[in-house]
Structure formats: C-alpha cells, structure tokens
Amino acid sequence: EVQLVESGGGSVQVGGSLRLSCLVSGFSVDDTDMGWFRQAPGNECDLISTIRIDGSEYYEDSVKGRFTISQDNAKNTVYLQMNSLKPEDTAVYYCVAADRARGWVIGNDCDNLKEYGYWGQGTQVTVSS
C-alpha cells in the first residue's frame, strides 16, 4: 500500500522556520520525482518545489532562496526546509509523487489533482505576524 505521511507543520511567526517531512511507503523516493504543493483558501494549488530522480531541483519564484527540498533515500523520506517564512506562506502543504505517466499535473484545486500520482494528507502551516 502506498502512503505518504507528512509531518512538521504548525504555527510560526514571521521570519521563522519549519521543516516538513514526508515519510513514504510503498515505493522508493529515489526512483520517483517528488514534490510539494500548497494551497491556501481562495488561492490556486501551487507546485512550489520538486526534486527529480537525477537530483535536480525546482522552486517556484515565491519560495526560491527560502525553501530547500531534499530527500533521504535510506529513510525513504522527502523534506522541505522552509526559512524566512512570510504570512503568504500560510497554506496546507502536500507531499506528492509525480504521476508516472503524466508527470506533474497542475490545476486550480489540489483536491482535483489527487487522482494523479500519490498525495499525502496535507499539513497546515500558519505564519503569523
């Protein structure tokens, strides 16, 4: 059974840091493109960071220089280190494995994308000033 279990979300003040973890079971993260989406109420579902099988990384402009994606193959876990957090980073964050046939599928609502690839349950991040 495939499971992606996120942890590490919570509430933090502006400028603070959080590290999200995504423990994966049912497949190996080192042979799958992995990433993080986020969605805030009223906002679109954004693909903010990915790490490919070859180790290359992608960051959306809004998080570039502040967030870092990584993975520990021995632990089969993907991480998202988030520094210099801003109120606009407040959202539910989802750990996602790319769809093997379609790659990264993008859309307005994360709930509508969950049939593509594998998704975690989501973890809330709240940044307050």
Side-chain angles (χ1 to χ4, degrees), residues 13-18 65-67 82-87 89 127:
Q13 291 192 324
V14 169
S17 298
L18 286 173
R66 300 187 298 122
F67 291 11
M82 305 186 296
N83 298 330
S84 302
L85 284 162
K86 304 175 181 181
D89 295 318
V127 184

Side-chain angles (χ1 to χ4, degrees), residues 67-88:
F67 291 11
T68 303
I69 192 170
S70 63
Q71 64 187 50
D72 184 329
N73 295 335
K75 295 181 179 179
N76 217 34
T77 298
V78 180
Y79 302 98
L80 186 68
Q81 178 67 43
M82 305 186 296
N83 298 330
S84 302
L85 284 162
K86 304 175 181 181
E88 51 264 43

Side-chain angles (χ1 to χ4, degrees), residues 102-117:
R102 298 170 181 258
W104 292 111
V105 179
I106 308 300
N108 290 335
D109 190 331
C110 288
D111 284 343
N112 293 337
L113 303 181
K114 292 179 179 176
E115 63 183 280
Y116 304 107

Side-chain angles (χ1 to χ4, degrees), residues 20-34:
L20 305 183
S21 299
C22 174
L23 176 61
V24 175
S25 57
F27 65 90
S28 295
V29 298
D30 61 357
D31 69 358
T32 307
D33 291 349
M34 299 295 298

